[in-house]
Each structure stands twice: as structure tokens, then as C-alpha cells.
Amino acid sequence: MAKAHKLDCEAAAADCRFIIQSENEAEATELARNHMKEVHGQDYTAEELREKHLQVV
């Protein structure tokens, strides 16, 4: 079974229930970066997201 990369936005920004999940880590990271910038006004690097918020499930 393939592993998926998941970001649960609630862990990064309180009161947000947005979840990103993809088998492609680059895609999950890019979607997460876009969401955090557009919705929350926070600019994360891909590395910051991988280290702090991205989970492998």
C-alpha cells in the first residue's frame, strides 16, 4: 500500500478543518503552502511544512 502525505490544517492554524492528503509529497506540500498563504496569510517554506506539520500515513 502506498503511503500518503497528509497535512491537517487544524494542527497549524486553530479552527481550520482543511485536510490535504496525497501520495505525492511535492503535491501535498505545494497545496499546503498555497492554502496557508491564501487562507491564513502565513508564508511557510516547503521545508517548514515537512518538518512541523506534514505526516506520513
Side-chain angles (χ1 to χ4, degrees):
M1 178 182 256
K3 294 185 179 185
H5 303 276
K6 175 182 173 185
L7 178 125
D8 182 348
C9 190
E10 188 172 31
D15 300 329
C16 182
R17 304 248 189 256
F18 190 74
I19 296 175
I20 297 163
Q21 185 168 321
S22 175
E23 290 180 5
N24 182 315
E25 181 179 359
E27 178 184 52
T29 304
E30 185 63 25
L31 290 170
R33 286 185 70 217
N34 290 341
H35 171 78
M36 295 305 287
K37 184 169 183 120
E38 293 170 7
V39 176
H40 302 292
Q42 298 175 351
D43 198 10
Y44 283 93
T45 65
E47 190 63 31
E48 287 174 321
L49 286 171
R50 276 189 214 102
E51 288 178 6
K52 297 179 183 177
H53 304 294
L54 205 60
Q55 304 169 353
V56 178
V57 292

